[in-house]
Amino acid sequence: SSLNKIDCFCFNMCMSLIEIEIPSSVNNIEKGAFNECSSLKIVKINGPLNEIKDNTFYNCSSLIEINIPSSVSKIGKNAFTQCSSLKQISIPASVVNIEMNVFAYCSSLEKVMFLAPSSLNYVGSRSFEQCKSLKEIDFPSSISSFGCNVLSGCSSLEQITISQPVDLKRLGVENSNIKINCK
């Protein structure tokens, strides 16, 4: 109960780690803490984290369930890159920034939920690159800017809902049959 920080790369490449529950006393998980824990399936975070830092769950290829606390305001680059078993994710209303490559190569990701009232302001480059199972995405109206190629390689994408006009090629969308809804 006195643990308040999980240090950089603390569980790096712990190949047999399957599930972890992070106690409410932990308010800081440093970058790469669970990097390449390829058997990790379930993560329960009970603490008041401000940020999911860079590479925290990079290449956790078996990850199927994680809760992002409502205290998180930033998801760092590559935080969930190559979490190829992750099918859905809920982004709390508190998240302001999603940095580059956050969900890149999450090939099973089908559903992304931005919880209301969203504070999301920025979605970084290649955030959803190669999310080949993603069929639709409904970006919140709070977004003011996108990086490049946010949706590049999302070959199953059928529908995008977005509040302001944006250059689809900038987002990496090349399929002209995608339905675009402007809020």
Side-chain angles (χ1 to χ4, degrees):
S1 65
S2 63
L3 180 68
N4 62 13
K5 177 181 176 182
I6 297 175
D7 219 341
C8 293
F9 299 98
C10 184
F11 294 96
N12 184 43
M13 298 182 76
C14 286
M15 305 300 191
S16 297
L17 183 62
I18 295 172
E19 183 174 344
I20 189 160
E21 183 164 353
I22 299 168
S24 59
S25 59
V26 173
N27 58 23
N28 190 358
I29 299 174
E30 289 296 326
K31 69 178 182 176
F34 299 96
N35 185 61
E36 297 197 44
C37 292
S38 59
S39 297
L40 185 61
K41 290 183 177 188
I42 299 171
V43 178
K44 296 177 183 168
I45 303 172
N46 297 312
L49 300 179
N50 291 327
E51 179 179 351
I52 304 287
K53 297 194 175 163
D54 298 354
N55 301 328
T56 302
F57 298 100
Y58 178 88
N59 201 19
C60 289
S61 57
S62 297
L63 187 65
I64 57 171
E65 182 181 324
I66 184 165
N67 66 302
I68 300 175
S70 60
S71 55
V72 170
S73 63
K74 178 183 174 186
I75 302 176
K77 61 185 171 185
N78 302 310
F80 296 98
T81 298
Q82 295 184 16
C83 289
S84 56
S85 296
L86 191 63
K87 288 191 175 194
Q88 68 177 28
I89 191 81
S90 293
I91 310 295
S94 57
V95 173
V96 175
N97 286 340
I98 293 177
E99 297 299 323
M100 67 185 297
N101 298 327
V102 169
F103 298 103
Y105 296 91
C106 290
S107 56
S108 297
L109 189 62
E110 296 172 354
K111 188 170 186 177
V112 179
M113 295 165 286
F114 297 97
L115 303 179
S118 181
S119 301
L120 189 61
N121 185 22
Y122 174 72
V123 178
S125 297
R126 297 179 295 283
S127 295
F128 296 96
E129 181 177 41
Q130 298 295 323
C131 289
K132 294 184 181 282
S133 297
L134 189 62
K135 290 187 179 179
E136 65 180 73
I137 191 160
D138 183 356
F139 288 112
S141 60
S142 57
I143 294 177
S144 63
S145 65
F146 290 94
C148 295
N149 297 315
V150 170
L151 298 166
S152 177
C154 294
S155 54
S156 296
L157 197 60
E158 297 172 356
Q159 180 173 313
I160 301 170
T161 304
I162 197 163
S163 63
Q164 72 272 7
V166 70
D167 178 6
L168 292 180
K169 289 200 189 278
R170 177 175 168 78
L171 291 181
V173 175
E174 296 184 16
N175 181 351
S176 61
N177 295 324
I178 295 174
K179 183 177 178 184
I180 310 296
N181 297 323
C182 287
K183 294 179 185 176

